Amino acid sequence: MSDVFDPPVRSAVMRRVKGRDTGPEMKVRRLLTRLGARYRLHRADLPGRPDIVLPGRRLAILVHGCFWHGHDCPRGGRVPQARRDYWTAKVAGNRARDARNFSALAGDGWRVETVWECELKARALPALEARLTALLAETAPRP
């Protein structure tokens, strides 16, 4: 199956895909702010530059898009028809990099939480809020 867009349009679409300050990331940041958490963004001195870091709690939060990081939900399990080999390898590489970064952070004594894009849908948001509230309660800031 060929692409539904011609090359210049496809290029423009892909250029709009951002790596930081994405919609899902902004939702998590607003939720954490509402819960009273103080955080830092994209700390370059940590493995993988976690999206959100709560340094006093030694907590790193990774906000992953289901498609790009190969989540096991319907959106993450979808593989494009065009260039299947490329996309399968791309997502597998992203997953391998995520596993390396997770291990490196955990090895340095950081707690790592992953928030998936599908958890930010309206019906799943209360469960995510409860999860983050519990996580913040169990990782009280260090003195």
Side-chain angles (χ1 to χ4, degrees):
M1 176 179 206
S2 64
D3 196 353
V4 296
F5 297 122
D6 59 346
V9 173
R10 171 58 64 197
S11 182
V13 168
M14 294 306 290
R15 253 194 319 273
R16 293 185 58 205
V17 175
K18 301 188 300 184
R20 58 187 334 176
D21 300 332
T22 62
E25 187 180 322
M26 298 301 288
K27 279 186 178 181
V28 173
R29 285 160 49 178
R30 281 191 293 271
L31 182 56
L32 286 170
T33 299
R34 192 169 67 233
L35 294 173
R38 307 292 292 180
Y39 54 85
R40 297 287 174 258
L41 302 174
H42 311 289
R43 289 250 320 248
D45 60 328
L46 295 176
R49 298 181 80 158
D51 298 310
I52 301 168
V53 178
L54 292 86
R57 299 171 191 268
R58 300 279 297 171
L59 175 65
I61 299 176
L62 308 172
V63 183
H64 285 340
C66 295
F67 171 76
W68 297 103
H69 295 269
H71 192 221
D72 59 358
C73 70
R75 172 122 174 118
R78 182 178 98 44
V79 179
Q81 295 296 312
R83 301 180 63 202
R84 287 182 79 80
D85 293 340
Y86 168 80
W87 285 109
T88 303
K90 169 86 173 142
V91 172
N94 289 349
R95 291 180 69 133
R97 184 191 64 231
D98 293 340
R100 281 193 311 270
N101 292 336
F102 186 97
S103 296
L105 285 165
D108 288 344
W110 288 85
R111 295 189 43 165
V112 184
E113 272 304 305
T114 301
V115 175
W116 292 96
E117 180 181 16
C118 61
E119 293 178 296
L120 298 169
K121 303 293 183 200
R123 68 182 185 285
L125 208 50
L128 176 62
E129 184 171 355
R131 182 173 135 211
L132 290 176
T133 299
L135 189 63
L136 293 174
E138 73 184 44
T139 58
R142 293 181 306 178

